């Protein structure tokens, strides 16, 4: 096999800095392939919390790197592209959340990890797509819940638990490009295929699914299922691992439009440059980090 000089340099610089590369399941295939760990938001936070590396190179979007910085305050966290944000996370600000809380003084705020650190700092407990049902069910039935910012994940959790919640009107623009009609058409062409979707999809899409799971949950399901064909309703970056880990199975994205442009901002070249210059450093002010940590830690303790 011909070795890639960029990959070699990344590996040298990783040793020099005692660095670990964490990558989300939606990253470009070549970025995933040089990472020490590839996973979903929960797995990435757990890795960030336990690593003994000095430098964490976070290949994902900004809220994920921020969470790593909060969990590892004594380490340096960098992102290859500082502009890789999450539009859903930007659909709520701490100021807007404080105003909403004034209307419901005793409400418990459950925040999806796809939020900025200052929004987490205003929340009671954090959750990810893999543990949202468990986190919400840990809150006593008689307490009212404000679920932020993803109304689709909120509606999914409500339906699983048969429990009302107040939702924020946020959503993922990438997952909302996945349409129920497309799945119905694909299912008629591939009746044996299983439909596996992420809970950020709309309720009509979720209603058609054989399995609803986080990105790592989707991988686990596909790896263990006896089905040979799968219709995949999530961001298309996940196809890299699905196909790599299951060469004998067929994975069909519902639409090639479910491509998150922010996730794809990180390239192998930018990853190399970030290690060369130790940039772009992600920091969270101490006061915010302390408050956000309690919401994140409550989640990790339950996970
Ligand atoms: P996961 O936690 O399932 O990996 O999802 C993160 C995300 O941003 C989905 O759009
Ligand atoms: Fe945010 Fe959606 Fe991209 Fe995930 S896929 S990072 S929720 S915009």
């Amino acid at each position: 096999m011909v070795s890639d000089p960029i990959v070699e340099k990344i590996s040298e610089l990783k040793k020099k800095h005692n660095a670990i590369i964490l990558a989300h399941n939606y990253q470009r295939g070549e970025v995933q392939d040089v990472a020490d760990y590839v996973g979903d938001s929960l797995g990435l936070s757990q890795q960030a919390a336990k690593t003994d590396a000095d430098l964490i190179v976070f290949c994902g979007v900004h809220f994920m790197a921020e969470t790593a910085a909060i969990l590892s305050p004594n380490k340096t966290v960098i992102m290859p592209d500082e502009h890789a944000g999450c539009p859903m996370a930007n659909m709520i600000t701490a100021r807007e959340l404080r105003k909403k809380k004034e209307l419901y003084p005793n409400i418990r705020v459950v925040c999806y990890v796809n939020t900025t650190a200052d929004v987490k700092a205003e929340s009671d407990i954090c959750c990810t797509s893999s543990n949202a049902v468990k986190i919400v069910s840990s809150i006593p039935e008689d307490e009212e819940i404000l679920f932020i910012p993803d109304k689709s994940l909120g509606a999914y959790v409500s339906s699983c638990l048969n429990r009302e919640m107040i939702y924020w009107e946020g959503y993922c623009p990438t997952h909302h490009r996945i349409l129920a009609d497309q799945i119905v058409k694909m299912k008629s062409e591939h009746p044996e295929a299983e439909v596996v979707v992420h809970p950020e999809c709309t309720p009509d899409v979720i209603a058609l699914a054989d399995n609803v799971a986080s990105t790592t949950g989707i991988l686990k399901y596909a790896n263990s299922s006896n089905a040979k064909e799968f219709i995949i309703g999530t961001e298309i970056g996940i196809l890299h691992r699905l196909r790599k880990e299951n060469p004998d199975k067929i994975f069909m994205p519902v639409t090639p439009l479910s491509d998150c442009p922010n996730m794809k901002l990180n390239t192998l070249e930018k990853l190399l440059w970030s290690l060369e210059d130790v940039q772009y450093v992600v920091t969270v002010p101490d006061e915010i980090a302390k408050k956000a940590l309690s919401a994140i830690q409550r989640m990790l303790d339950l996970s």
Side-chain angles (χ1 to χ4, degrees):
M1 205 173 89
V2 188
S3 61
D4 179 338
I6 297 189
V7 174
E8 277 178 21
K9 278 193 211 157
I10 289 174
S11 147
E12 278 165 29
L13 286 165
K14 237 180 61 176
K15 280 192 206 111
K16 178 178 158 196
H17 294 298
N18 186 26
I20 184 174
I21 301 176
L22 304 181
H24 186 263
N25 288 318
Y26 295 159
Q27 289 293 291
R28 292 170 185 272
E30 61 274 22
V31 171
Q32 295 189 30
D33 289 346
V34 297
D36 297 288
Y37 176 85
V38 185
D40 64 4
S41 306
L42 179 65
L44 290 164
S45 327
Q46 288 166 330
Q47 292 295 319
K50 74 176 190 200
T51 183
D52 51 17
D54 296 315
L55 179 66
I56 300 175
V57 188
F58 211 110
C59 301
V61 288
H62 196 262
F63 74 81
M64 296 178 176
E66 254 188 358
T67 306
I70 293 165
L71 284 165
S72 289
N74 301 323
K75 316 212 183 283
T76 305
V77 178
I78 57 174
M79 288 178 78
D81 190 312
E82 62 183 336
H83 301 294
C86 168
M88 184 209 285
N90 294 335
M91 288 179 189
I92 181 166
T93 64
R95 192 160 162 265
E96 288 168 331
L97 177 54
R98 278 194 294 272
K99 278 183 91 176
K100 188 82 169 175
K101 279 167 43 177
E102 277 168 20
L103 300 175
Y104 303 94
N106 297 319
I107 203 141
R108 307 278 292 195
V109 180
V110 179
C111 73
Y112 190 24
V113 70
N114 298 39
T115 42
T116 57
D118 51 351
V119 166
K120 288 187 180 79
E122 292 287 337
S123 302
D124 294 293
I125 189 162
C126 191
C127 73
T128 73
S129 59
S130 65
N131 59 22
V133 172
K134 191 173 183 182
I135 298 295
V136 169
S137 58
S138 75
I139 298 173
E141 286 283 347
D142 57 350
E143 294 194 32
E144 210 172 6
I145 297 175
L146 169 61
F147 191 92
I148 60 165
D150 187 3
K151 63 177 175 186
S152 300
L153 177 62
Y156 171 67
V157 173
S158 279
S159 70
C160 290
L161 296 173
N162 197 16
R163 178 169 183 175
E164 293 286 314
M165 295 193 287
I166 299 170
Y167 314 123
W168 199 264
E169 284 297 314
Y171 65 95
C172 166
T174 299
H175 282 84
H176 279 215
R177 290 195 186 126
I178 296 164
L179 304 179
D181 287 358
Q182 295 162 327
I183 298 180
V184 171
K185 185 166 175 287
M186 288 175 84
K187 202 55 195 164
S188 71
E189 289 159 2
H190 305 272
E192 302 298 317
E194 288 195 324
V195 178
V196 191
V197 311
H198 194 276
E200 286 176 16
C201 290
T202 54
D204 55 342
V205 164
I206 288 178
L208 296 170
D210 295 297
N211 184 255
V212 183
S214 78
T215 54
T216 294
I218 289 174
L219 282 151
K220 282 189 187 149
Y221 183 83
N223 293 359
S224 63
S225 166
N226 290 328
K228 288 277 169 240
E229 290 187 329
F230 298 84
I231 296 168
I232 302 296
T234 191
E235 208 276 345
I236 54 172
I238 201 162
L239 294 168
H240 177 74
R241 265 188 82 184
L242 281 170
R243 289 175 178 153
K244 196 170 155 181
E245 292 174 16
N246 301 278
D248 54 335
K249 296 181 181 175
I250 295 168
F251 299 97
M252 299 167 282
V254 177
T255 167
L257 297 179
S258 57
D259 189 1
C260 176
N262 288 282
M263 283 282 182
K264 300 297 155 36
L265 283 175
N266 300 316
T267 62
L268 212 49
E269 287 81 0
K270 288 184 200 168
L271 171 51
L272 170 63
W273 302 332
S274 72
L275 273 162
E276 280 174 347
D277 298 339
V278 191
Q279 67 178 12
Y280 298 91
V281 178
V282 177
T283 53
V284 180
D286 283 351
E287 211 33 50
I288 302 278
K290 215 172 116 202
K291 286 194 201 156
L293 179 61
S294 55
I296 299 167
Q297 197 58 55
R298 275 187 208 120
M299 166 185 83
L300 292 178
D301 291 346
L302 284 171
S303 295

